[in-house]
Amino acid sequence: MPSLQSASNVKANGSPNGDRDLAKYGRGSAVWLKEHGGEDDGNGLIRSKQDRPLSRKINVSVAILAPYRLLIFFRIVVLGMYLAWRIKNRNEDAIWLWGMSVICEIWFTFSWLLEQLPKLSPVKRTAELAVLIDKFETVSPQNPLGRPDLPGIDVFITTADPDKEPPLVMANTVLSVLAADYPVENLACYLSDDAGSILTFETMAEVASFATVWVPFCRKHNIEPRGPESYFSLKKDPYRNKMRPDFVKDRRRMKREYDEFKVRINALLDTVRWRSDAYTAREESRALRRHRELYGDEPIERPKVPKAIWMADGSHWPGTWMNSSPHHTYSNHAAIVQVMLKSPSNESVQGKNEESRCLDLSGVDVRLPMLVYVAREKRPGYEDNEKAGAMNALVRASAVVSNGPFFLNLDYDNYVCNSRAFREGMCYMMDRGGERVCFVQFPRRFDGGDPSDGYAGYTNVVFEVNMRALDGIQGPVYLGSGCLFRRMALYGFDPPPPQERHGGCCRCCFPRKPKNPGGVDSDEERQDSRREDEKILSTYQKRFGNSASLIDSIPMAEFQRRPLADHPTVKDGRPWGALTTPHDPVTQSMVADAVSVIACSYEDKTQWGRRVGWIYGSVTEDIVTGYRMHNRGWRSVYCVTNGDAFRGTAVINLTDRLNQILRRATGFVEFFFSRNNPLFITPGMKILQRIAYLNLSTFPFTSLFVTVYCLLPVLCLFSGQFIVQTLSVTFLAYILILTVTRCILAILEIRWSGIQLVDWWRNEQWWVIGGTSACLAALFQGVLKVTTGVDVSSNGTKTSADGDESSEPHGLKWTWLMIPPITIMLVNLIAIAVGVSRTINSSSPEWSKLLGGLVFSVWVLIHLYPLAKGLMWSRSGGKTPTVVFIWSGLIAITISLLGVVLHTPSGDHRIGGSITFP
């Protein structure tokens, strides 16, 4: 293992005479601090620049939080009293109705507690970008050249199929990353093409060419956002706050360049086909010529040349071919690593007035970050583990090539909307005390979709309420995209002890110190050290694999991610200027090593996917991966930037939304039945954080009780009974108190989170819609998969980018997930008609029980309204599958007939304890 030099002897102020100066003036002296660049903190105290924090945590106002917590505990007490009263006062006329309702209400109380308790300590955080720039990128005695001293960031972008994920959308994401406001030499972008498609490869080649003019244009005029499609689609005035007189000319020319770029991207499919046909025709001509040289004009079968996919250099594409061929299919192709843009130098490169592109780039840094295309190897008989496997392949390949100590993962459609988002995330990672932060989760924001968010696809409540609340405990959960990771945390190392401010993760990452006072080890000690190093190497090989390059990169990544040794409390920090040295250029041996670590057999007999990297075995690999890090004692941070950090594509139709919920809920069921169950975790996780994960894992089970509870008003109206014996004052008082307290809690959450009332209400509606459809299906699918190993889930569900009718707003494609909620709506409408008709025609009507059933049923219909609205929107265009209504209608009629038959009148008496028709 390579040794690392300790930085513990570096002075906080970077001066060798720092201790002597402090002794002269006295430690903490305002005079000394002022002489050395300190500043007033507003309280009459002078603080040094090194002492200024990179981030601030702002607790929610006591005026909001105190009544919020008090109301939570008050509602818990009321719920306990209500349930005790319900259990004690049984409805003897309909004991079965009473029993079902009580069981459901007990579960709802338990579920509400799991969701509400982690919200007791919400916080807000802000990043201090000015302090970060002043500390890491400003000319100072420690950094006389002013070179960036920030650690490197590797950005991972994943794509799986160019037919479902448009290459132009992916190209915009890559361009926005290349144009991000972060030191160019410390930024690298990796694209994982899980399909091994030549369309994606050719798109990356076009991106590398277009980035040479787009990125300098962004820097020259400081435009936001830096994805070209989103920028040129802005509805606000693009000329506002622009000072340079050539901006109008540059923007017009750049728009023309981008239009030509889009034409080239959209024509790539035809270009590849024409090129491949031309190369194939050439090979056929050569084969025919050789055939004639050998056999003349004899009538022997002529050789056939397979239709291959050719690259521009005249070689076969090693990835997936358009026409299936052995070793060139989606699940059977070679590994590919191609460096599209090389790593830049540390020195700024000023541009020129390029007449070819008609842009004056004089005085603009034209360097570009490294851009690497990666397609991992796939072979039959080896499990690819979908996105988790692709991410782990990126982690290994990047460790060999650029080895950034931090990396950010993005989906193909999550472009960078705020170019300074990377810096804001680093504020939390590099802040003093931030060495225990394993990842920084950014909120997910979306473009397009329904402005009213009728399908709750923006998930504002999840991010602004749940994530802020978890940030006050141990940190938000990892939600798949827009997350800045610490490489060492994902490698499976434990965080440093909280009482020690150092950057190490494990003993092997620290330099070995001499044991004797003279500083020289004896022969016996050197032998012991050698044996210890061999033992560590063997452990690393079992955990990370046999790649020497990958293992050698671990100590360097650990060193680079350390905080600066700018304060006496920082132990084993890195010295000033350690990251300003030039990077080693990418060599052919590096690329060869990167290809070897993404081979399909590399993970055999290692801990990748079990302890190291993204965890395998669940469709929600993000939740499980974040859970594992929290379980080891790491914490996370929720970062809300000034302006949306990243924006993606919103869910725009009902089908996509239901399938999205189905996938997440299925993963939660697998999470619950796996060894990652929050009930069996280590003491490294805080109790409220455990409750939050338990809430996620048990969420799909609530669907059973939601479905039963939505059918209870039907049973009430058909039977003439209610869940209680009579609508007593006590029952109504409990219902009123619980409803009012729930509404007040919602208002307080809206105030401290900043969401809108419509967001909260839409979330409540989709809690019912998802519970009666996708979550219910996920529960059965997950239980079936866990118990029998049979996976009946559909992995081929198309998204809104597919280009069929389901990609239109409010469009629909057939899915049986719609049948249960539509059936519930229909039977509730039928039950209302039956209940009202029977009560009106009854000789002794019981209006109180009818009123209870009506209110109950209307409550259900109001929650299902967005589903009905989506169906009607689609129905007006004639695109709702008729089979949905046929099946739902048949099931609803069957349930209604059974309800009527079971309560058919016989004279004027009761049957089965129920009041029947007179």
Side-chain angles (χ1 to χ4, degrees), residues 455 651 653-660 797-798 806 811-815 817-818:
Y455 302 124
V651 175
N653 60 67
L654 182 60
T655 306
D656 284 354
R657 181 59 174 146
L658 291 177
N659 283 311
Q660 184 185 65
T797 304
K798 289 188 176 183
S806 68
L812 280 183
K813 186 181 178 183
W814 157 249
T815 173
L817 298 176
M818 302 176 188

Side-chain angles (χ1 to χ4, degrees), residues 542-569:
K542 292 179 181 179
R543 178 182 295 187
F544 301 103
N546 293 322
S547 172
S549 299
L550 176 60
I551 294 176
D552 290 343
S553 71
I554 295 175
M556 286 307 302
E558 193 278 332
F559 173 74
Q560 294 176 19
R561 67 99 195 174
R562 292 181 183 182
L564 282 174
D566 60 347
H567 197 272
T569 61

Side-chain angles (χ1 to χ4, degrees), residues 270-427:
D270 294 332
T271 301
V272 171
R273 285 175 176 169
W274 293 337
R275 182 178 65 209
S276 298
D277 291 343
Y279 276 115
T280 301
R282 185 194 65 179
E283 292 301 309
E284 289 178 349
S285 299
R286 290 179 178 176
L288 181 60
R289 191 181 306 115
R290 289 194 297 269
H291 173 81
R292 288 177 177 174
E293 291 175 356
L294 293 175
Y295 304 104
D297 294 331
E298 296 182 14
I300 300 176
E301 183 179 0
R302 297 182 178 182
K304 296 182 180 180
V305 177
K307 298 189 66 174
I309 299 299
W310 296 78
M311 301 175 66
D313 61 356
S315 60
H316 278 179
W317 171 244
T320 302
W321 288 2
M322 295 178 183
N323 301 318
S324 297
S325 176
H327 308 295
H328 293 283
T329 62
Y330 182 87
S331 57
N332 187 9
H333 61 76
I336 309 170
V337 175
Q338 178 66 44
V339 180
M340 297 290 188
L341 294 174
K342 297 181 180 179
S343 56
S345 64
N346 279 40
E347 299 292 338
S348 176
V349 178
Q350 303 298 317
K352 302 177 181 179
N353 187 0
E354 298 188 19
E355 296 295 336
S356 60
R357 294 290 180 93
C358 300
L359 286 180
D360 183 8
L361 300 179
S362 303
V364 180
D365 189 358
V366 296
R367 292 178 300 162
L368 298 178
M370 182 190 299
L371 177 61
V372 184
Y373 171 90
V374 178
R376 58 179 173 143
E377 183 185 20
K378 288 187 176 182
R379 297 300 181 193
Y382 290 92
E383 181 65 41
D384 63 4
N385 295 300
E386 299 180 346
K387 183 180 178 179
M391 292 300 299
N392 284 339
L394 283 177
V395 172
R396 296 192 296 270
S398 65
V400 173
V401 177
S402 57
N403 196 30
F406 302 94
F407 48 81
L408 175 83
N409 77 296
L410 297 172
D411 290 337
Y412 80 100
D413 60 343
N414 291 142
Y415 68 90
V416 180
C417 190
N418 181 355
S419 62
R420 292 200 160 195
F422 295 2
R423 294 179 184 270
E424 293 202 30
M426 290 303 297
C427 285

Side-chain angles (χ1 to χ4, degrees), residues 457-647:
Y458 293 165
T459 59
N460 291 330
V461 174
V462 173
F463 284 100
E464 299 305 325
V465 178
N466 298 67
M467 296 297 103
R468 287 184 187 273
L470 290 176
D471 201 8
I473 309 173
Q474 199 171 342
V477 298
Y478 168 42
L479 293 177
S481 179
C483 193
L484 180 66
F485 275 96
R486 188 183 298 272
R487 185 182 289 269
M488 301 308 294
L490 205 67
Y491 277 171
F493 292 114
D494 295 330
Q499 66 273 13
E500 298 181 20
R501 299 293 188 183
H502 58 69
C505 288
C506 61
R507 188 176 64 176
C508 58
C509 293
F510 291 102
R512 189 178 59 84
K513 298 180 180 180
K515 296 181 180 180
N516 57 47
V520 179
D521 292 343
S522 62
D523 292 340
E524 183 179 354
E525 290 172 343
R526 283 196 293 268
Q527 292 178 1
D528 293 341
S529 175
R530 190 181 305 110
R531 284 193 293 268
E532 184 178 355
D533 290 343
E534 292 176 353
K535 183 179 179 180
I536 292 174
L537 180 61
S538 176
T539 302
Y540 271 25
Q541 288 177 342
K542 292 179 181 179
R543 178 182 295 187
F544 301 103
N546 293 322
S547 172
S549 299
L550 176 60
I551 294 176
D552 290 343
S553 71
I554 295 175
M556 286 307 302
E558 193 278 332
F559 173 74
Q560 294 176 19
R561 67 99 195 174
R562 292 181 183 182
L564 282 174
D566 60 347
H567 197 272
T569 61
V570 178
K571 305 298 181 182
D572 296 302
R574 60 180 173 87
W576 292 89
L579 304 184
T580 59
T581 56
H583 299 283
D584 295 333
V586 179
T587 61
Q588 289 294 333
S589 62
M590 289 183 181
V591 176
D593 290 339
V595 171
S596 67
V597 297
I598 62 174
C600 58
S601 60
Y602 182 83
E603 295 182 352
D604 292 350
K605 298 180 180 180
T606 67
Q607 294 186 9
W608 285 98
R610 290 181 292 157
R611 177 184 173 88
V612 180
W614 272 256
I615 306 302
Y616 299 154
S618 175
V619 295
T620 53
E621 70 286 334
D622 48 358
I623 298 293
V624 179
T625 302
Y627 163 83
R628 286 290 189 90
M629 287 185 280
H630 282 143
N631 200 18
R632 288 196 296 269
W634 291 96
R635 64 156 293 116
S636 56
V637 167
Y638 182 59
C639 177
V640 180
T641 61
N642 295 322
D644 298 338
F646 312 102
R647 296 187 73 90

Side-chain angles (χ1 to χ4, degrees), residues 176-284:
S176 68
V177 171
L178 297 178
D181 184 9
Y182 198 78
V184 182
E185 61 271 26
N186 295 334
L187 183 64
C189 181
Y190 292 80
L191 178 82
S192 170
D193 178 18
D194 225 26
S197 171
I198 194 171
L199 291 181
T200 305
F201 180 84
E202 296 283 352
T203 300
M204 292 290 286
E206 292 289 346
V207 166
S209 175
F210 181 68
T212 58
V213 62
W214 169 253
V215 174
F217 169 74
C218 295
R219 292 175 184 158
K220 178 180 179 180
H221 298 290
N222 193 27
I223 67 168
E224 295 286 353
R226 298 195 173 182
E229 185 68 31
S230 57
Y231 173 69
F232 290 119
S233 301
L234 286 176
K235 295 182 180 180
K236 65 180 183 181
D237 183 9
Y239 307 104
R240 186 177 181 182
N241 299 326
K242 300 304 177 186
M243 307 299 294
R244 300 181 66 111
D246 57 349
F247 173 70
V248 176
K249 179 181 64 175
D250 287 353
R251 186 180 187 277
R252 186 182 302 117
R253 291 170 177 172
M254 183 54 59
K255 181 65 167 62
R256 184 173 65 248
E257 289 282 341
Y258 179 60
D259 290 339
E260 295 176 358
F261 171 76
K262 289 198 293 185
V263 171
R264 293 195 299 271
I265 295 297
N266 293 329
L268 278 179
L269 181 60
D270 294 332
T271 301
V272 171
R273 285 175 176 169
W274 293 337
R275 182 178 65 209
S276 298
D277 291 343
Y279 276 115
T280 301
R282 185 194 65 179
E283 292 301 309
E284 289 178 349

Side-chain angles (χ1 to χ4, degrees), residues 562-865:
R562 292 181 183 182
L564 282 174
D566 60 347
H567 197 272
T569 61
V570 178
K571 305 298 181 182
D572 296 302
R574 60 180 173 87
W576 292 89
L579 304 184
T580 59
T581 56
H583 299 283
D584 295 333
V586 179
T587 61
Q588 289 294 333
S589 62
M590 289 183 181
V591 176
D593 290 339
V595 171
S596 67
V597 297
I598 62 174
C600 58
S601 60
Y602 182 83
E603 295 182 352
D604 292 350
K605 298 180 180 180
T606 67
Q607 294 186 9
W608 285 98
R610 290 181 292 157
R611 177 184 173 88
V612 180
W614 272 256
I615 306 302
Y616 299 154
S618 175
V619 295
T620 53
E621 70 286 334
D622 48 358
I623 298 293
V624 179
T625 302
Y627 163 83
R628 286 290 189 90
M629 287 185 280
H630 282 143
N631 200 18
R632 288 196 296 269
W634 291 96
R635 64 156 293 116
S636 56
V637 167
Y638 182 59
C639 177
V640 180
T641 61
N642 295 322
D644 298 338
F646 312 102
R647 296 187 73 90
T649 304
V651 175
I652 62 175
N653 60 67
L654 182 60
T655 306
D656 284 354
R657 181 59 174 146
L658 291 177
N659 283 311
Q660 184 185 65
I661 297 174
L662 174 64
R663 180 184 177 276
R664 303 292 294 183
T666 303
F668 293 153
V669 176
E670 296 172 351
F671 183 36
F672 181 83
F673 285 107
S674 69
R675 60 194 180 105
N676 298 310
N677 190 302
L679 295 175
F680 311 106
I681 57 180
T682 64
M685 190 179 295
K686 296 183 179 180
I687 181 64
L688 291 181
Q689 194 81 11
R690 304 184 189 192
I691 294 176
Y693 276 109
L694 186 62
N695 178 47
L696 288 177
S697 62
T698 58
F699 173 74
F701 295 91
T702 307
S703 61
L704 281 175
F705 303 94
V706 172
T707 304
V708 172
Y709 213 69
C710 288
L711 291 173
L712 282 180
V714 176
L715 301 177
C716 292
L717 292 170
F718 279 152
S719 65
Q721 293 291 331
F722 195 53
I723 58 176
V724 293
Q725 188 81 27
T726 58
L727 294 179
S728 62
V729 176
T730 305
F731 174 75
L732 294 177
Y734 276 124
I735 296 299
L736 179 62
I737 294 173
L738 292 175
T739 303
V740 171
T741 53
R742 183 69 182 96
C743 293
I744 296 176
L745 282 174
I747 294 173
L748 293 176
E749 287 181 0
I750 290 171
R751 288 196 61 187
W752 62 252
S753 65
I755 64 172
Q756 302 295 322
L757 178 61
V758 66
D759 295 327
W760 177 86
W761 174 238
R762 200 72 73 206
N763 185 72
E764 292 294 308
Q765 290 177 313
W766 273 91
W767 178 75
V768 176
I769 296 172
T772 56
S773 57
C775 290
L776 189 64
L779 181 60
F780 287 106
Q781 288 184 6
V783 171
L784 184 64
K785 181 178 180 180
V786 170
T787 55
T788 65
V790 177
D791 187 4
V792 297
S793 61
S794 175
N795 294 326
T797 304
K798 289 188 176 183
T799 64
S800 59
D802 297 341
D804 60 3
E805 65 183 23
S806 68
S807 64
E808 301 178 7
H810 315 305
L812 280 183
K813 186 181 178 183
W814 157 249
T815 173
W816 64 276
L817 298 176
M818 302 176 188
I819 292 179
I822 295 177
T823 303
I824 291 174
M825 284 191 294
L826 292 178
V827 295
N828 272 276
L829 291 173
I830 295 173
I832 291 175
V834 171
V836 172
S837 175
R838 187 198 54 201
T839 304
I840 292 175
N841 296 322
S842 176
S843 58
S844 56
E846 298 192 23
W847 295 101
S848 62
K849 293 184 178 180
L850 174 65
L851 180 61
L854 285 177
V855 173
F856 204 169
S857 188
V858 170
W859 177 88
V860 173
L861 293 176
I862 290 175
H863 279 77
L864 295 176
Y865 170 72

